[in-house]
Amino acid sequence: MAQIFETIKAKLLEIEKEENVRIFYACESGSRAWGFPSVNSDYDVRFLYIREQNFYLSIDVEDKRDVIEVPIDDELDINGWDLRKALRLLRKSNPPLLEWLSSPTVYLEEEELIKKFRSLVPLSYSPTACMYHYMQMARNSFREYLKGDEVSVKKYFYVLRPLLAIKWIEERSDVVPMEFGIMIDALLHDSDLKSQILKLIERKRKGEEMSREPKIPAISGFIETEMDRLKDLSIPRRDEKPLMKTLNDAFREIVNRSAIRDPHSTF
């Protein structure tokens, strides 16, 4: 594990140099961060970065790329978002971004900058927007993978996780955690259901082939009950977005504090 950490950190430093950016946060996303990786799962590394001030002080900034994507190989899947893009998505309470900020595996972070960024989460968090996102995920995956007498059992996770995220939002006031195990422990009280899900996680971790199999009654029953319940769920109106001035002020503060001023210099 230590070796892959060093490999990822070295790759992030390489990206900084090649792109002339400053990465202030990088974490694990996907199945490894959720808590149910397979033995051959790759590493889904996501990061946030800042460019030099002149990049933002230009009339065509909207036409410039605000993501960095590294070609995927068998081991690493790395990409990141520019600070400006990240703040615009934070204003929309973007669930993947919120999950990154609570990842259990952090490869790199500048404490002062990410602390400032995280301080904006309570102002931006919209339970309504997140609920819509997770509901759409659950519906799409359920329709595609879990219909019929035999199902793609490894896809259970792609329905279970958003369904538990919705329950989390309904029952709690804080942001949905990235770790699947936290939601299982906090939200599931049926011992048989919990046991069956944990067995499925263990099978996935061992790399067992899990293609199409007969339904697991406890898990399918829970999913179908929840999907039926959500058909009639009344979602409250969309929450008010935070003041744009607050995010603009934060953006300027972070850029002024950290971005390079000389276009010929490096971080």
Side-chain angles (χ1 to χ4, degrees), residues 65-129:
R65 280 183 60 79
D66 51 11
V67 300
I68 294 175
E69 297 170 313
V70 178
I72 299 173
D73 60 31
D74 292 337
E75 189 173 42
L76 299 177
D77 177 355
I78 304 178
N79 62 70
W81 292 344
D82 178 78
L83 171 66
R84 184 171 176 269
K85 176 184 181 70
L87 286 172
R88 289 168 67 88
L89 289 172
L90 184 64
R91 183 170 183 257
K92 298 177 180 179
S93 199
N94 178 268
L97 176 59
L98 295 176
E99 290 181 9
W100 295 0
L101 297 174
S102 67
S103 174
T105 304
V106 175
Y107 298 112
L108 180 156
E109 69 176 339
E110 292 199 27
E111 185 176 352
E112 191 175 351
L113 296 186
I114 196 62
K115 181 179 179 181
K116 177 62 180 179
F117 193 94
R118 283 196 174 110
S119 72
L120 302 169
V121 171
L123 303 176
S124 306
Y125 176 55
S126 164
T128 301

Side-chain angles (χ1 to χ4, degrees), residues 45-173:
V45 183
R46 301 294 178 261
F47 62 89
L48 304 176
Y49 64 90
I50 310 169
R51 290 195 180 274
E52 64 184 8
Q53 284 186 329
N54 283 349
F55 175 86
Y56 304 110
L57 298 175
S58 55
I59 62 173
D60 60 343
V61 66
E62 288 84 3
D63 301 325
K64 298 179 180 180
R65 280 183 60 79
D66 51 11
V67 300
I68 294 175
E69 297 170 313
V70 178
I72 299 173
D73 60 31
D74 292 337
E75 189 173 42
L76 299 177
D77 177 355
I78 304 178
N79 62 70
W81 292 344
D82 178 78
L83 171 66
R84 184 171 176 269
K85 176 184 181 70
L87 286 172
R88 289 168 67 88
L89 289 172
L90 184 64
R91 183 170 183 257
K92 298 177 180 179
S93 199
N94 178 268
L97 176 59
L98 295 176
E99 290 181 9
W100 295 0
L101 297 174
S102 67
S103 174
T105 304
V106 175
Y107 298 112
L108 180 156
E109 69 176 339
E110 292 199 27
E111 185 176 352
E112 191 175 351
L113 296 186
I114 196 62
K115 181 179 179 181
K116 177 62 180 179
F117 193 94
R118 283 196 174 110
S119 72
L120 302 169
V121 171
L123 303 176
S124 306
Y125 176 55
S126 164
T128 301
C130 290
M131 189 175 289
Y132 272 114
H133 170 85
Y134 290 117
M135 188 175 294
Q136 195 61 40
M137 285 181 63
R139 286 172 175 166
N140 289 343
S141 294
F142 178 74
R143 181 175 57 250
E144 186 169 355
Y145 303 117
L146 300 181
K147 293 285 191 177
D149 295 330
E150 288 194 343
V151 299
S152 180
V153 293
K154 66 181 178 181
K155 302 297 185 180
Y156 270 132
F157 298 112
Y158 294 92
V159 180
L160 283 170
R161 192 169 180 277
L163 287 180
L164 290 186
I166 292 170
K167 286 180 69 67
W168 184 280
I169 293 169
E170 290 177 306
E171 297 180 15
R172 297 166 178 264
S173 59

